[in-house]
Amino acid sequence: AQSVSQHNHHVILSEAASLELGCNYSYGGTVNLFWYVQYPGQHLQLLLKYFSGDPLVKGIKGFEAEFIKSKFSFNLRKPSVQWSDTAEYFCAVIGAGNMLTFGGGTRLMVKP
Amino acid sequence: DGGITQSPKYLFRKEGQNVTLSCEQNLNHDAMYWYRQDPGQGLRLIYYSQIVNDFQKGDIAEGYSVSREKKESFPLTVTSAQKNPTAFYLCASSAGWGTNTEAFFGQGTRLTVV
């Protein structure tokens, strides 16, 4: 079965710091990749997605992610975080059996 | 507005009781899903349905049951056989099943066993 690993469970940054959240998956075939965000008290929202084409994907709110097939990775980045980016971030993959599998999540806290 | 509605938002259950969580979508999506969210474990798939009158077990189906009698509805029953039911439950839907689709989520139901 495929799996998704998010290495950082908790990240604390100051405003204007750069962000990179790691995501690795285990499936070797064709994959679709997603990052979702869950702001406090709100439902999961899609940040960005990769289906095919340019491996550098730009999403909402200044986030981007890069698909590196050789590393089975899809890391999320933002050059300068804001206090409003405080949330939990989930990486997800559709791969084996067309199942949508999520990572364990990363809680980001941005200090003002 | 189109979307996914889960109810209730909070639910309390006594041990030994079955309880049903509601999920309704008006997005005309074929596929629907139930996930369980626990701290540090991400979202784990309980059941999914690709089409009306069909559903499949996910990774942690034991102690749960579902039905899909209508396209827009996918209720989840947490039975007394579920040993650790206290959790946050998320329902999702997507236009299709598999690649090149994205899932949309409801606001969730927090179930607490008392």
Side-chain angles (χ1 to χ4, degrees):
Chain A
Q2 68 188 19
S3 63
V4 181
S5 298
Q6 292 182 240
H7 314 296
N8 313 101
H9 297 298
H10 297 276
V11 174
I12 301 174
L13 295 173
S14 298
E15 275 195 317
S18 64
L19 170 72
E20 180 160 4
L21 302 182
C23 173
N24 287 90
Y25 61 92
S26 63
Y27 183 62
T30 300
V31 290
N32 291 166
L33 299 156
F34 309 85
W35 275 97
Y36 283 86
V37 60
Q38 189 173 34
Y39 297 104
Q42 296 189 27
H43 61 279
L44 275 169
Q45 302 171 38
L46 184 69
L47 261 184
L48 46 80
K49 61 189 177 187
Y50 171 79
F51 289 164
S52 63
D54 189 343
L56 184 61
V57 179
K58 294 194 182 299
I60 61 172
K61 304 185 180 185
F63 286 91
E64 66 178 29
E66 184 174 14
F67 170 48
I68 303 179
K69 189 174 181 179
S70 61
K71 295 185 178 180
F72 299 90
S73 70
F74 190 56
N75 293 354
L76 181 70
R77 300 193 293 249
K78 186 171 184 179
S80 176
V81 294
Q82 300 172 318
W83 176 78
S84 58
D85 293 324
T86 294
E88 189 160 16
Y89 294 81
F90 294 93
C91 180
V93 172
I94 291 179
N98 290 332
M99 301 287 285
L100 177 60
T101 302
F102 284 83
T106 298
R107 287 188 182 273
L108 171 66
M109 177 182 293
V110 180
K111 298 184 293 184
Chain B
D1 288 336
I4 302 172
T5 302
Q6 290 186 241
S7 61
K9 190 172 182 180
Y10 299 96
L11 188 58
F12 296 88
R13 190 196 89 174
K14 292 182 180 180
E15 283 193 27
Q17 287 183 336
N18 292 355
V19 65
T20 297
L21 283 59
S22 170
C23 178
E24 304 277 332
Q25 54 98 359
N26 60 4
L27 300 167
N28 200 33
H29 284 170
D30 284 319
M32 296 187 75
Y33 318 79
W34 274 105
Y35 288 88
R36 172 179 169 143
Q37 185 177 9
D38 296 285
Q41 297 192 53
L43 281 71
R44 293 180 291 168
L45 183 64
I46 304 172
Y47 268 97
Y48 62 95
S49 168
Q50 298 180 50
I51 200 165
V52 176
N53 293 322
D54 181 67
F55 50 83
Q56 305 293 332
K57 293 181 179 180
D59 298 323
I60 54 166
E62 186 175 350
Y64 300 98
S65 65
V66 294
S67 63
R68 186 84 187 279
E69 297 176 2
K70 298 185 295 183
K71 187 175 186 178
E72 59 270 23
S73 179
F74 191 41
L76 173 75
T77 296
V78 184
T79 75
S80 56
Q82 169 50 236
K83 298 305 179 187
N84 185 22
T86 294
F88 190 58
Y89 292 87
L90 284 166
C91 178
S93 71
S94 64
W97 175 255
T99 57
N100 297 338
T101 61
E102 64 184 83
F104 296 84
F105 286 82
Q107 298 245 2
T109 294
R110 186 166 298 281
L111 173 64
T112 303
V113 174
V114 296

